Amino acid sequence: MPRSHGSEIDRLIQLLARLPGLGPRSARRAALTMLKKKDAVMRPLAAALTTVADGVVACEICGNLDAGSPCHVCTDPRRDRTTICVVEDVADLWALDRSETYNGLYHVLGGTLSALDGVGPEDLAVGPLIRRIQEDGVTEVILGLGATVDGQTTSHYLAERLSEAGDVRVTALAHGLPVGGELDYLDDGTLAAALRARNTIGG
Amino acid sequence: MPRSHGSEIDRLIQLLARLPGLGPRSARRAALTMLKKKDAVMRPLAAALTTVADGVVACEICGNLDAGSPCHVCTDPRRDRTTICVVEDVADLWALDRSETYNGLYHVLGGTLSALDGVGPEDLAVGPLIRRIQEDGVTEVILGLGATVDGQTTSHYLAERLSEAGDVRVTALAHGLPVGGELDYLDDGTLAAALRARNTIGG
């Protein structure tokens, strides 16, 4: 018989261990920390989980997850409504928005095309994207997909579909050295891309 | 204005980031994973947290955290009731019990003596331990404290107090090579301890 810490605590540890970044050992540590801070962490976390589970929905326009639909990005009057940045996932949307360098709208695609995983255009939010471009006065679509094979395939596919769909400028995030990146640690593909996209500086 | 993901999600991420092993980035990933698995992970986790927060208490005898007091270790009739293993923390109790090599009872001390942190004997569960030894027919106390300076100081203090308190054998966990440990990665203290505690093998 494997010894347990009592079935409720075991169940909690099992559930915590399903979160990314937590294995069985750190889930146990997390459970124990919370048991010692019931009122400061455990009960507020339970309440926050319930609130979010009940209240958070996918935005009907862009696919962002937020307390209401349309989300706070789509309803923000200070946003530039003529630009849409297409991202793979909500995590990418959050990452871009955290950088505070972009002030337009987003569109969550829900994945990338992948022959291997059997993901075709009909599995992604491509139709709604084209409708938004045709109906909402969008002048530029920035393709913010990952620099992976699937990401780039999807970018090419979207660029073609979007140019057929209407008069819209399609751009993509630049490739090059990551800020702080040292040359001898970078892969050949990045170096080649950075070299091809080189810029004139100075005089 | 720093951009947010909606206040409920932000609050959830903040709370998750307080767990050991999760920083702000992994808390965000965990929140996003749960948002995609509301019914498989998020709601069950909220329920488990509430159940544990409401149901789990510290055992009045040994200090273990369990669904009831006395805990399932203290009430288990198959346990050897003449031996008590003294540990610093509930995590240590769980770790020892998981190893399934010990079949006695436990006593959670709640810390170690520390002049630096101002922890004296009155801050630890020393009195209750001595009462258990005097009243419950205990014949051996195993000091299962860490091999740190504070842990060893506490062990020496306890050994003295326990020998005054009654006729009980006081032992401590052995020091030596960890199983799987390679000599050239071990510190001098461990090597010295292992050498001092060397055993005769073979003929």
Side-chain angles (χ1 to χ4, degrees):
Chain A
M1 165 207 77
R3 289 179 183 171
S4 75
H5 321 305
S7 57
E8 287 99 343
I9 303 181
D10 275 337
R11 168 112 183 101
L12 174 62
I13 293 172
Q14 275 170 24
L15 284 165
L16 286 170
R18 287 204 215 159
L19 300 182
L22 286 180
R25 184 175 293 264
S26 41
R28 214 151 39 218
R29 269 181 64 215
L32 210 53
T33 305
M34 286 195 284
L35 275 166
K36 290 176 188 164
K37 296 179 186 169
K38 275 190 191 177
D39 291 320
V41 180
M42 199 168 215
R43 290 182 205 279
L45 183 57
L49 284 166
T50 307
T51 309
V52 168
D54 290 343
V56 169
V57 290
C59 172
E60 66 203 82
I61 299 175
C62 73
N64 187 15
L65 292 165
D66 202 356
S69 172
C71 71
H72 73 281
V73 176
C74 287
T75 53
D76 186 343
R78 287 161 302 183
R79 296 264 176 173
D80 168 14
R81 312 193 74 79
T82 64
T83 312
I84 291 181
C85 180
V86 178
V87 291
E88 206 178 308
D89 201 358
V90 176
D92 303 334
L93 190 162
W94 290 359
L96 269 171
D97 221 45
R98 264 199 314 280
S99 75
E100 301 195 17
T101 50
Y102 175 67
N103 196 38
L105 304 179
Y106 293 94
H107 190 85
V108 177
L109 212 53
T112 49
L113 296 176
S114 169
L116 215 62
D117 298 332
V119 181
E122 66 287 349
D123 301 313
L124 305 176
V126 179
L129 173 63
I130 288 173
R131 264 196 302 286
R132 286 181 73 184
I133 288 160
Q134 290 174 334
E135 294 168 9
D136 297 350
V138 174
T139 55
E140 179 176 358
V141 174
I142 303 170
L143 300 174
L145 303 172
T148 59
V149 172
D150 285 345
Q152 296 306 298
T153 310
T154 311
S155 288
H156 283 292
Y157 169 81
L158 284 178
E160 203 161 303
R161 283 289 300 272
L162 294 173
S163 65
E164 290 164 11
D167 184 24
V168 66
R169 186 176 170 224
V170 181
T171 56
L173 295 184
H175 289 182
L177 310 183
V179 173
E182 293 184 62
L183 257 67
D184 56 348
Y185 286 101
L186 287 171
D187 59 297
D188 294 349
T190 302
L191 288 175
L195 200 62
R196 276 198 305 272
R198 67 191 180 277
N199 302 307
T200 310
I201 57 166
Chain B
M1 166 207 76
R3 289 180 183 170
S4 74
H5 320 305
S7 58
E8 288 99 342
I9 303 181
D10 274 337
R11 169 111 182 102
L12 174 62
I13 293 172
Q14 273 170 24
L15 285 165
L16 285 170
R18 287 205 214 158
L19 300 183
L22 285 180
R25 186 175 290 263
S26 41
R28 216 151 39 219
R29 271 181 64 214
L32 209 54
T33 306
M34 286 195 283
L35 276 166
K36 290 176 188 164
K37 296 179 185 168
K38 275 190 191 177
D39 291 320
V41 179
M42 200 167 213
R43 289 183 204 280
L45 184 58
L49 285 166
T50 308
T51 309
V52 168
D54 290 342
V56 170
V57 291
C59 172
E60 65 202 82
I61 299 175
C62 73
N64 187 14
L65 292 165
D66 202 356
S69 171
C71 72
H72 72 282
V73 175
C74 288
T75 52
D76 186 344
R78 289 161 302 185
R79 296 264 175 171
D80 168 13
R81 313 192 75 78
T82 64
T83 312
I84 290 180
C85 180
V86 178
V87 291
E88 205 177 309
D89 201 359
V90 177
D92 303 333
L93 188 163
W94 290 0
L96 269 170
D97 221 47
R98 264 199 314 280
S99 74
E100 301 196 17
T101 49
Y102 175 67
N103 197 38
L105 304 178
Y106 293 94
H107 191 85
V108 177
L109 210 53
T112 50
L113 297 176
S114 169
L116 214 63
D117 298 331
V119 180
E122 66 287 351
D123 300 314
L124 306 176
V126 178
L129 173 63
I130 288 172
R131 265 197 301 285
R132 286 180 75 184
I133 288 160
Q134 291 174 334
E135 293 169 10
D136 297 350
V138 174
T139 56
E140 180 175 358
V141 173
I142 303 170
L143 299 174
L145 303 172
T148 59
V149 172
D150 285 345
Q152 296 305 300
T153 309
T154 311
S155 288
H156 283 293
Y157 170 81
L158 284 178
E160 205 160 302
R161 284 288 301 271
L162 294 173
S163 64
E164 290 165 10
D167 184 24
V168 66
R169 186 174 169 224
V170 181
T171 57
L173 294 185
H175 289 181
L177 309 183
V179 172
E182 292 183 63
L183 256 66
D184 57 347
Y185 286 102
L186 287 171
D187 60 296
D188 295 349
T190 303
L191 288 175
L195 201 62
R196 276 197 304 272
R198 67 190 179 278
N199 301 308
T200 310
I201 55 165

